[in-house]
Amino acid sequence: MTTSRDRKTDDLDRFLDEQLKNPSFAEEWERSKPEYEVMKLLVEARSEMGMSQSELARRTGIKQPNISRLERGVCSPTLDTLAALAHGLGKKLQVSFI
């Protein structure tokens, strides 16, 4: 069964594939990819746990509006913030250079 979320993800993937054909967009996308990955991983981990931003805020001591800003990519988290979020999600933070 295809959900509304699956359709939105498919639409976004198709849109992104089309935009990546533009060299300047592709270059900027690649430059900011780590930020998007952090946003995506945070939202996915929280959603998988069925946790609201408010619950994550309560568990981490990070204010809910700040979690929202992180998930929207309005600001970039520090490593300490990422570690606190990981702990609040019952996960460990792993950083690597590839």
Side-chain angles (χ1 to χ4, degrees):
M1 175 182 218
T2 302
T3 66
S4 173
R5 182 178 177 171
D6 291 336
R7 285 189 296 277
K8 288 178 184 175
T9 300
D10 289 344
D11 289 346
L12 179 59
D13 288 341
R14 279 193 294 277
F15 175 77
L16 182 57
D17 287 343
E18 187 63 32
Q19 295 303 309
L20 287 171
K21 293 175 185 175
N22 176 329
S24 62
F25 180 90
E27 182 179 327
E28 180 62 22
W29 176 260
E30 196 59 35
R31 186 193 65 73
S32 35
K33 195 172 183 178
E35 293 173 33
Y36 291 118
E37 282 297 310
V38 168
M39 292 165 33
K40 177 183 167 193
L41 291 170
L42 177 57
V43 171
E44 285 176 354
R46 190 176 56 73
S47 295
E48 286 171 6
M49 296 195 64
M51 189 183 302
S52 67
Q53 289 179 350
S54 296
E55 174 63 15
L56 184 56
R58 187 187 66 71
R59 289 182 180 206
T60 61
I62 298 169
K63 294 180 180 178
Q64 180 276 326
N66 292 339
I67 293 172
S68 176
R69 286 184 196 96
L70 291 170
E71 290 187 357
R72 290 182 289 128
V74 174
C75 61
S76 296
T78 64
L79 286 175
D80 286 342
T81 298
L82 288 175
L85 291 166
H87 180 75
L89 292 163
K91 301 188 179 291
K92 292 184 179 182
L93 177 65
Q94 177 179 332
V95 178
S96 62
F97 293 98
I98 54 172

